[in-house]
Every structure is written in structure tokens, then in C-alpha cells.
């Protein structure tokens, strides 16, 4: 009923920039928080950044000052602008949203399929 589709993952050099996008589609009634998580090989999935429906943001300490999360609520889309990238940023990046679909009584977390980001020279 509801899908999240990420795009923008790629190979980038250290110090470079990349912008990820995630669009939600389907029978959407409302979306609360949206966010980005990442999972490096052999590690757990960790929070990168979240943004509420009224624009309040939260960042992992490791990306503060380098990454910026934003959203276009009219398009049900969330973005992650990544600057000054480091090899430690290499991971699969997943989009997440708290979605209330049409016909749902409550909000449920929905995940995207992930997009690979590799930072390497």
C-alpha cells in the first residue's frame, strides 16, 4: 500500500558531496517523522538524521555539521544532503517514515529498500 523509494546513492571521493532522495507513494493519509538510517557491513543499522512533520531535525553526532536533512511534505519526499564526506560514511542508506495510510487507524514505520553510498578515492 505504501512504498518508499530511495535514490542518489553513488561512489564519491572523500571530501565530496552527495544528495539522497526518498519519495513515499501509495494510499497515504499522513506522514509524521521521516528519517535516514545507515548500515555498514558487519554493523547494526544506525540513525543518521530525522525530521518531524513541523521541521524539527535530529542528527547523529558523527554527521552534525556535515549532513542536512530536509523534506517536501507536499511531495512526501525527504532529502539528505551529505557534504565533507568521509570513508566512514560508506554504508547502505535506508529511508524511514511513520506513515498512516488510508484505512489505517494508526501510524506504522515503513522502510525503503536502501541505496549504497561508497566514499573512496
Amino acid at each position: 500500500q505504501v512504498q518508499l523509494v530511495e535514490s542518489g546513492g553513488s561512489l564519491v571521493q572523500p571530501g565530496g558531496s552527495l544528495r539522497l532522495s526518498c519519495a513515499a507513494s501509495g494510499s497515504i493519509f499522513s506522514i509524521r517523522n521521516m528519517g535516514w538510517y545507515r548500515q555498514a557491513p558487519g554493523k547494526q543499522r544506525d540513525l543518521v538524521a530525522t525530521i518531524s512533520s513541523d521541521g524539527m531535525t535530529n542528527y547523529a553526532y558523527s554527521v552534525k555539521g556535515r549532513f542536512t536533512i530536509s523534506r517536501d511534505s507536499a511531495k512526501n519526499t525527504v532529502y539528505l544532503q551529505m557534504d565533507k564526506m568521509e570513508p566512514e560514511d560508506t554504508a547502505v542508506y535506508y529511508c524511514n517514515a511513520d506513515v498512516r495510510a488510508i484505512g489505517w487507524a494508526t501510524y506504522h514505520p515503513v522502510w525503503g529498500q536502501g541505496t549504497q553510498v561508497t566514499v573512496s578515492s
Side-chain angles (χ1 to χ4, degrees):
Q1 283 183 312
V2 178
Q3 283 186 317
L4 298 182
V5 178
E6 301 105 332
S7 62
S10 181
L11 170 66
V12 62
Q13 291 188 342
S17 298
L18 206 59
R19 189 192 195 209
L20 305 182
S21 299
C22 171
S25 63
S27 303
I28 297 170
F29 177 78
S30 178
I31 299 178
R32 287 190 310 200
N33 293 341
M34 301 186 81
W36 291 94
Y37 293 72
R38 66 187 182 187
Q39 187 168 18
K43 296 189 176 181
Q44 66 180 19
R45 189 175 299 187
D46 291 326
L47 179 146
V48 176
T50 62
I51 185 167
S52 69
S53 57
D54 58 1
M56 291 191 64
T57 58
N58 178 52
Y59 294 94
Y61 179 80
S62 60
V63 306
K64 274 185 179 179
R66 301 189 299 119
F67 291 8
T68 303
I69 189 171
S70 61
R71 68 189 283 177
D72 185 336
S73 295
K75 296 181 179 179
N76 291 327
T77 300
V78 63
Y79 306 95
L80 186 67
Q81 177 66 40
M82 302 183 289
D83 299 316
K84 302 177 183 177
M85 296 187 73
E86 304 167 353
E88 292 73 24
D89 296 321
T90 296
V92 177
Y93 283 70
Y94 296 90
C95 175
N96 170 269
D98 291 328
V99 179
R100 183 179 174 186
I102 295 171
W104 292 2
T106 60
Y107 288 84
H108 296 274
V110 179
W111 290 90
Q113 81 287 352
T115 185
Q116 177 68 48
V117 172
T118 302
V119 185
S120 175
S121 54

